[in-house]
Amino acid sequence: MRVSHDWIQYKLLDTSNGDKFEDWNGHTLVRPDPQVVWKTPHRVNWDKANAIYYRSSEGGGSWNYNTQLPESWQMSYKNLTFKIKPTGFKHTGLFPEQAVNWDFMQNKIKKANRPISVLNMFAYTGGATLACAEVGANVCHVDASKGMVNWARENAKLSLLEDKPIRWIVDDCEKFVSREIRRDRKYDAIVMDPPSYGRGKNGEVWKLEDGIYDLINLCTGVLSDTPLFFIVNSYTTGLSPSVIAYIMEEVIVSKFGGKVSYDEIGLPVHNTNLILPCGSTAIWEKD
Protein backbone atom coordinates (compact mmCIF):
# COMPACT_ATOMS: atom_id res chain seq x y z
CA MET A 1 0.00 0.00 0.00
CA ARG A 2 1.16 3.55 -0.77
CA VAL A 3 0.78 5.65 2.38
CA SER A 4 0.70 9.41 2.99
CA HIS A 5 3.13 9.64 5.91
CA ASP A 6 4.17 13.29 5.74
CA TRP A 7 1.16 15.12 7.15
CA ILE A 8 1.83 17.34 10.17
CA GLN A 9 -1.48 19.20 10.52
CA TYR A 10 -3.70 16.19 9.80
CA LYS A 11 -3.94 13.05 11.95
CA LEU A 12 -6.18 10.01 11.69
CA LEU A 13 -6.60 9.43 15.41
CA ASP A 14 -8.70 6.26 15.52
CA THR A 15 -11.12 4.06 13.54
CA SER A 16 -13.95 1.81 14.68
CA ASN A 17 -17.50 0.69 13.93
CA GLY A 18 -17.91 2.40 10.58
CA ASP A 19 -16.35 5.73 11.59
CA LYS A 20 -13.01 7.50 11.63
CA PHE A 21 -11.90 10.10 14.17
CA GLU A 22 -9.68 12.79 12.63
CA ASP A 23 -7.76 15.88 13.67
CA TRP A 24 -7.83 18.60 11.00
CA ASN A 25 -5.28 21.11 12.28
CA GLY A 26 -6.74 21.25 15.76
CA HIS A 27 -10.40 20.61 14.88
CA THR A 28 -11.61 17.05 15.46
CA LEU A 29 -14.27 15.37 13.34
CA VAL A 30 -15.95 11.97 13.33
CA ARG A 31 -17.01 10.84 9.86
CA PRO A 32 -18.38 7.57 8.45
CA ASP A 33 -16.07 5.41 6.37
CA PRO A 34 -17.30 2.25 4.60
CA GLN A 35 -13.88 0.61 4.92
CA VAL A 36 -14.07 0.59 8.72
CA VAL A 37 -15.91 -2.68 9.24
CA TRP A 38 -14.16 -3.56 12.52
CA LYS A 39 -15.68 -2.91 15.96
CA THR A 40 -12.58 -2.40 18.05
CA PRO A 41 -12.53 -0.47 21.37
CA HIS A 42 -11.77 3.24 21.07
CA ARG A 43 -8.11 4.03 21.70
CA VAL A 44 -8.78 7.71 22.38
CA ASN A 45 -11.70 9.71 23.79
CA TRP A 46 -14.11 10.20 20.88
CA ASP A 47 -16.48 12.20 23.10
CA LYS A 48 -14.20 15.20 22.68
CA ALA A 49 -14.83 15.40 18.93
CA ASN A 50 -15.88 18.91 17.85
CA ALA A 51 -18.39 17.54 15.33
CA ILE A 52 -19.89 14.20 14.30
CA TYR A 53 -21.46 13.41 10.94
CA TYR A 54 -24.57 11.22 11.05
CA ARG A 55 -25.94 9.53 7.97
CA SER A 56 -29.67 9.77 7.27
CA SER A 57 -31.72 6.70 6.38
CA GLU A 58 -33.18 8.81 3.57
CA GLY A 59 -29.77 9.57 2.10
CA GLY A 60 -27.17 12.21 2.88
CA GLY A 61 -26.78 13.26 6.46
CA SER A 62 -25.88 16.13 8.75
CA TRP A 63 -23.31 17.35 11.28
CA ASN A 64 -23.90 17.45 15.01
CA TYR A 65 -21.64 20.06 16.61
CA ASN A 66 -20.49 19.41 20.16
CA THR A 67 -18.52 22.66 20.21
CA GLN A 68 -18.56 25.67 17.95
CA LEU A 69 -16.36 25.38 14.88
CA PRO A 70 -15.37 28.13 12.46
CA GLU A 71 -17.21 28.00 9.16
CA SER A 72 -13.87 27.16 7.54
CA TRP A 73 -10.20 27.04 8.47
CA GLN A 74 -6.84 26.37 6.84
CA MET A 75 -4.53 23.39 6.79
CA SER A 76 -1.18 22.94 5.08
CA TYR A 77 0.74 20.09 3.49
CA LYS A 78 4.35 21.08 2.95
CA ASN A 79 4.11 24.29 0.86
CA LEU A 80 0.43 23.89 -0.05
CA THR A 81 -2.41 25.42 1.96
CA PHE A 82 -6.07 24.42 1.74
CA LYS A 83 -9.40 25.72 2.98
CA ILE A 84 -11.16 23.10 5.10
CA LYS A 85 -14.93 23.27 5.44
CA PRO A 86 -17.30 20.48 6.56
CA THR A 87 -19.95 19.97 3.89
CA GLY A 88 -23.39 18.37 3.87
CA PHE A 89 -21.99 15.24 2.25
CA LYS A 90 -19.51 14.49 5.09
CA HIS A 91 -16.54 15.80 3.08
CA THR A 92 -14.19 18.61 4.09
CA GLY A 93 -12.81 19.73 0.73
CA LEU A 94 -9.66 17.62 0.99
CA PHE A 95 -8.67 13.95 0.73
CA PRO A 96 -5.44 13.68 2.79
CA GLU A 97 -4.55 10.26 1.41
CA GLN A 98 -3.99 11.87 -2.00
CA ALA A 99 -0.80 13.51 -0.72
CA VAL A 100 1.15 10.41 -1.72
CA ASN A 101 0.06 11.04 -5.31
CA TRP A 102 0.93 14.75 -5.11
CA ASP A 103 4.46 13.79 -4.06
CA PHE A 104 4.74 11.34 -6.95
CA MET A 105 3.61 13.93 -9.50
CA GLN A 106 5.95 16.59 -8.21
CA ASN A 107 8.89 14.22 -8.32
CA LYS A 108 8.14 13.17 -11.91
CA ILE A 109 7.70 16.76 -13.11
CA LYS A 110 10.91 17.97 -11.48
CA LYS A 111 12.92 15.07 -12.90
CA ALA A 112 11.53 15.60 -16.41
CA ASN A 113 13.66 18.74 -16.74
CA ARG A 114 11.39 20.14 -19.46
CA PRO A 115 8.11 22.07 -19.66
CA ILE A 116 5.21 19.83 -18.64
CA SER A 117 1.51 20.42 -19.25
CA VAL A 118 -0.96 18.61 -17.00
CA LEU A 119 -4.68 17.95 -17.45
CA ASN A 120 -6.41 17.45 -14.08
CA MET A 121 -9.93 16.06 -14.58
CA PHE A 122 -12.69 15.83 -11.95
CA ALA A 123 -10.23 18.11 -10.20
CA TYR A 124 -12.33 18.95 -7.11
CA THR A 125 -10.62 21.54 -4.88
CA GLY A 126 -7.30 21.33 -6.65
CA GLY A 127 -4.83 19.31 -4.59
CA ALA A 128 -3.18 17.77 -7.65
CA THR A 129 -3.48 21.04 -9.57
CA LEU A 130 -1.55 22.96 -6.92
CA ALA A 131 1.04 20.23 -6.46
CA CYS A 132 1.86 20.24 -10.18
CA ALA A 133 1.76 24.03 -10.52
CA GLU A 134 4.09 24.49 -7.56
CA VAL A 135 6.91 22.67 -9.36
CA GLY A 136 6.46 24.54 -12.63
CA ALA A 137 3.87 22.64 -14.66
CA ASN A 138 1.19 24.33 -16.75
CA VAL A 139 -2.11 22.91 -15.49
CA CYS A 140 -5.61 22.71 -16.91
CA HIS A 141 -8.04 22.19 -14.01
CA VAL A 142 -11.44 20.82 -15.07
CA ASP A 143 -14.48 20.12 -12.91
CA ALA A 144 -18.21 20.26 -13.64
CA SER A 145 -18.93 22.08 -10.36
CA LYS A 146 -18.43 25.83 -10.41
CA GLY A 147 -18.36 25.82 -6.62
CA MET A 148 -15.50 23.32 -6.52
CA VAL A 149 -13.50 25.26 -9.12
CA ASN A 150 -13.96 28.44 -7.08
CA TRP A 151 -12.82 26.56 -3.97
CA ALA A 152 -9.73 25.36 -5.86
CA ARG A 153 -8.96 28.94 -6.86
CA GLU A 154 -9.17 29.94 -3.20
CA ASN A 155 -6.67 27.19 -2.39
CA ALA A 156 -4.36 28.47 -5.12
CA LYS A 157 -4.45 31.92 -3.54
CA LEU A 158 -3.84 30.50 -0.05
CA SER A 159 -0.86 28.58 -1.45
CA LEU A 160 0.51 31.72 -3.19
CA LEU A 161 0.05 30.02 -6.56
CA GLU A 162 -2.72 32.21 -8.02
CA ASP A 163 -0.31 33.66 -10.60
CA LYS A 164 0.86 30.28 -11.86
CA PRO A 165 -0.22 29.15 -15.37
CA ILE A 166 -3.46 27.37 -14.41
CA ARG A 167 -6.54 27.26 -16.66
CA TRP A 168 -9.71 27.01 -14.56
CA ILE A 169 -12.45 25.23 -16.52
CA VAL A 170 -16.04 24.51 -15.43
CA ASP A 171 -17.22 21.78 -17.78
CA ASP A 172 -18.18 18.15 -18.24
CA CYS A 173 -14.82 16.37 -18.37
CA GLU A 174 -15.60 13.98 -21.23
CA LYS A 175 -17.08 16.72 -23.39
CA PHE A 176 -14.11 18.97 -22.64
CA VAL A 177 -11.62 16.27 -23.69
CA SER A 178 -13.55 15.65 -26.90
CA ARG A 179 -13.27 19.33 -27.75
CA GLU A 180 -9.58 19.37 -26.88
CA ILE A 181 -9.04 16.50 -29.31
CA ARG A 182 -10.76 18.48 -32.07
CA ARG A 183 -8.60 21.48 -31.17
CA ASP A 184 -5.52 19.23 -31.31
CA ARG A 185 -4.43 20.38 -27.85
CA LYS A 186 -2.03 18.00 -26.12
CA TYR A 187 -0.92 17.32 -22.54
CA ASP A 188 2.15 15.59 -21.15
CA ALA A 189 0.35 14.24 -18.09
CA ILE A 190 -3.22 13.41 -17.10
CA VAL A 191 -4.71 13.02 -13.63
CA MET A 192 -8.28 11.95 -13.08
CA ASP A 193 -10.42 11.15 -10.05
CA PRO A 194 -13.81 10.26 -11.57
CA PRO A 195 -16.87 9.78 -9.36
CA SER A 196 -18.36 6.35 -8.80
CA TYR A 197 -21.54 7.52 -10.48
CA GLY A 198 -23.21 10.65 -11.72
CA ARG A 199 -26.30 11.95 -13.45
CA GLY A 200 -26.46 13.98 -16.63
CA LYS A 201 -28.73 16.95 -17.28
CA ASN A 202 -31.41 14.64 -18.70
CA GLY A 203 -31.25 12.21 -15.80
CA GLU A 204 -29.00 9.69 -17.50
CA VAL A 205 -26.87 7.65 -15.08
CA TRP A 206 -23.10 7.29 -15.51
CA LYS A 207 -21.36 4.50 -13.60
CA LEU A 208 -17.58 4.36 -13.38
CA GLU A 209 -17.44 0.61 -13.94
CA ASP A 210 -19.30 1.04 -17.22
CA GLY A 211 -17.50 4.16 -18.41
CA ILE A 212 -13.89 3.90 -17.22
CA TYR A 213 -12.55 2.09 -20.30
CA ASP A 214 -14.05 4.59 -22.74
CA LEU A 215 -12.91 7.50 -20.57
CA ILE A 216 -9.27 6.37 -20.43
CA ASN A 217 -9.29 5.51 -24.13
CA LEU A 218 -10.70 8.95 -24.98
CA CYS A 219 -8.02 10.71 -22.94
CA THR A 220 -5.18 9.07 -24.83
CA GLY A 221 -6.26 11.36 -27.68
CA VAL A 222 -4.89 14.39 -25.81
CA LEU A 223 -1.59 12.85 -24.72
CA SER A 224 1.48 14.44 -26.28
CA ASP A 225 4.10 12.53 -28.26
CA THR A 226 6.29 12.49 -25.13
CA PRO A 227 3.85 11.82 -22.26
CA LEU A 228 5.13 11.65 -18.70
CA PHE A 229 2.39 10.02 -16.60
CA PHE A 230 -1.30 9.14 -16.45
CA ILE A 231 -2.93 8.68 -13.03
CA VAL A 232 -6.39 7.30 -12.28
CA ASN A 233 -7.74 7.48 -8.72
CA SER A 234 -10.81 5.53 -7.68
CA TYR A 235 -12.97 5.32 -4.58
CA THR A 236 -15.38 2.87 -6.19
CA THR A 237 -15.53 -0.18 -3.92
CA GLY A 238 -16.21 -2.70 -6.68
CA LEU A 239 -13.46 -1.43 -9.00
CA SER A 240 -10.07 -2.81 -7.99
CA PRO A 241 -6.83 -1.02 -8.91
CA SER A 242 -5.77 -4.07 -10.92
CA VAL A 243 -8.79 -3.62 -13.21
CA ILE A 244 -7.80 -0.02 -13.94
CA ALA A 245 -4.21 -1.15 -14.48
CA TYR A 246 -5.38 -3.79 -16.97
CA ILE A 247 -7.18 -1.09 -18.96
CA MET A 248 -4.07 1.09 -18.89
CA GLU A 249 -1.94 -1.77 -20.16
CA GLU A 250 -4.32 -2.33 -23.06
CA VAL A 251 -4.99 1.30 -23.92
CA ILE A 252 -1.88 3.29 -22.97
CA VAL A 253 1.08 0.88 -22.95
CA SER A 254 0.04 -0.47 -26.35
CA LYS A 255 0.37 3.06 -27.79
CA PHE A 256 3.14 4.67 -25.76
CA GLY A 257 5.09 1.88 -24.08
CA GLY A 258 6.08 2.54 -20.48
CA LYS A 259 4.90 0.72 -17.39
CA VAL A 260 1.87 0.52 -15.11
CA SER A 261 1.80 0.20 -11.33
CA TYR A 262 -1.21 0.01 -9.04
CA ASP A 263 -2.03 -0.21 -5.36
CA GLU A 264 -4.30 0.95 -2.60
CA ILE A 265 -3.56 4.30 -0.99
CA GLY A 266 -3.97 4.82 2.72
CA LEU A 267 -3.43 6.82 5.89
CA PRO A 268 -1.61 5.76 9.05
CA VAL A 269 -3.74 5.47 12.16
CA HIS A 270 -2.12 7.53 14.92
CA ASN A 271 -0.32 5.60 17.68
CA THR A 272 -0.74 2.23 15.92
CA ASN A 273 1.10 0.36 13.20
CA LEU A 274 -2.09 0.04 11.14
CA ILE A 275 -3.04 1.68 7.86
CA LEU A 276 -6.57 2.62 6.81
CA PRO A 277 -7.14 1.84 3.11
CA CYS A 278 -8.73 4.91 1.52
CA GLY A 279 -8.98 4.18 -2.18
CA SER A 280 -6.80 3.02 -5.02
CA THR A 281 -4.56 4.47 -7.69
CA ALA A 282 -3.25 3.09 -10.98
CA ILE A 283 -0.30 4.91 -12.57
CA TRP A 284 1.12 4.74 -16.06
CA GLU A 285 4.53 6.30 -16.47
CA LYS A 286 7.06 6.44 -19.25
CA ASP A 287 10.20 4.38 -18.59
Side-chain angles (χ1 to χ4, degrees):
M1 187 182 298
R2 299 170 59 239
V3 181
S4 295
H5 282 295
D6 294 339
W7 281 99
I8 296 175
Q9 295 185 350
Y10 171 86
K11 290 184 178 68
L12 177 54
L13 300 172
D14 200 4
T15 62
S16 182
N17 199 31
D19 290 318
K20 54 188 177 184
F21 182 28
E22 305 163 290
D23 186 322
W24 296 80
N25 196 18
H27 302 294
T28 52
L29 306 176
V30 174
R31 299 189 295 156
D33 191 308
Q35 300 284 3
V36 183
V37 298
W38 45 90
K39 301 177 182 179
T40 51
H42 291 172
R43 293 184 175 89
V44 295
N45 186 0
W46 290 46
D47 293 336
K48 293 185 177 181
N50 297 128
I52 302 172
Y53 186 89
Y54 292 101
R55 287 193 180 278
S56 168
S57 59
E58 300 175 355
S62 61
W63 290 95
N64 179 39
Y65 293 92
N66 296 325
T67 59
Q68 187 172 2
L69 281 176
E71 181 181 356
S72 65
W73 62 94
Q74 297 176 16
M75 189 171 78
S76 295
Y77 179 77
K78 299 181 179 178
N79 295 326
L80 305 178
T81 301
F82 304 93
K83 182 181 81 170
I84 305 301
K85 180 179 180 179
T87 71
F89 295 96
K90 84 171 182 177
H91 298 303
T92 63
L94 190 67
F95 291 86
E97 63 274 11
Q98 289 296 332
V100 69
N101 287 329
W102 305 339
D103 292 340
F104 168 85
M105 288 182 273
Q106 288 193 328
N107 185 55
K108 292 291 290 187
I109 291 168
K110 287 188 287 188
K111 286 186 175 181
N113 197 30
R114 59 183 171 93
I116 297 296
S117 59
V118 178
L119 173 61
N120 186 13
M121 301 168 57
F122 311 97
Y124 196 48
T125 59
T129 294
L130 303 187
C132 293
E134 186 198 7
V135 292
N138 289 270
V139 185
C140 182
H141 175 110
V142 186
D143 196 283
S145 168
K146 183 177 180 180
M148 290 299 105
V149 173
N150 287 338
W151 193 334
R153 297 186 76 153
E154 288 185 66
N155 287 337
K157 186 174 183 179
L158 290 173
S159 299
L160 305 180
L161 298 171
E162 68 267 34
D163 295 329
K164 293 292 184 179
I166 303 172
R167 296 169 62 206
W168 303 102
I169 306 294
V170 180
D171 203 350
D172 176 272
C173 288
E174 288 188 83
K175 292 178 181 178
F176 175 79
V177 170
S178 296
R179 288 196 296 273
E180 291 289 81
I181 291 172
R182 293 195 295 270
R183 290 187 283 251
D184 198 32
R185 192 187 294 269
K186 302 293 183 180
Y187 298 89
D188 301 302
I190 295 176
V191 186
M192 67 168 70
D193 194 348
S196 297
Y197 68 93
R199 289 188 178 274
K201 292 182 179 180
N202 297 319
E204 63 274 21
V205 176
W206 185 88
K207 292 184 178 180
L208 184 59
E209 299 96 317
D210 299 333
I212 187 64
Y213 175 86
D214 291 336
L215 181 59
I216 293 174
N217 191 42
L218 176 68
C219 288
T220 62
V222 293
L223 282 174
S224 70
D225 293 334
T226 55
L228 188 62
F229 60 79
F230 193 128
I231 299 178
V232 180
N233 301 304
S234 173
Y235 290 93
T236 303
T237 305
L239 188 64
S240 71
S242 58
V243 169
I244 302 172
Y246 191 103
I247 295 171
M248 290 178 135
E249 289 278 359
E250 290 285 352
V251 173
I252 306 176
V253 174
S254 63
K255 296 179 181 178
F256 298 97
K259 64 181 181 181
V260 176
S261 58
Y262 58 95
D263 208 339
E264 291 180 300
I265 56 175
L267 291 166
V269 182
H270 197 53
N271 292 327
T272 76
N273 294 319
L274 302 176
I275 305 296
L276 176 67
C278 299
S280 59
T281 302
I283 301 173
W284 172 88
E285 55 186 308
K286 194 67 175 176
D287 291 333

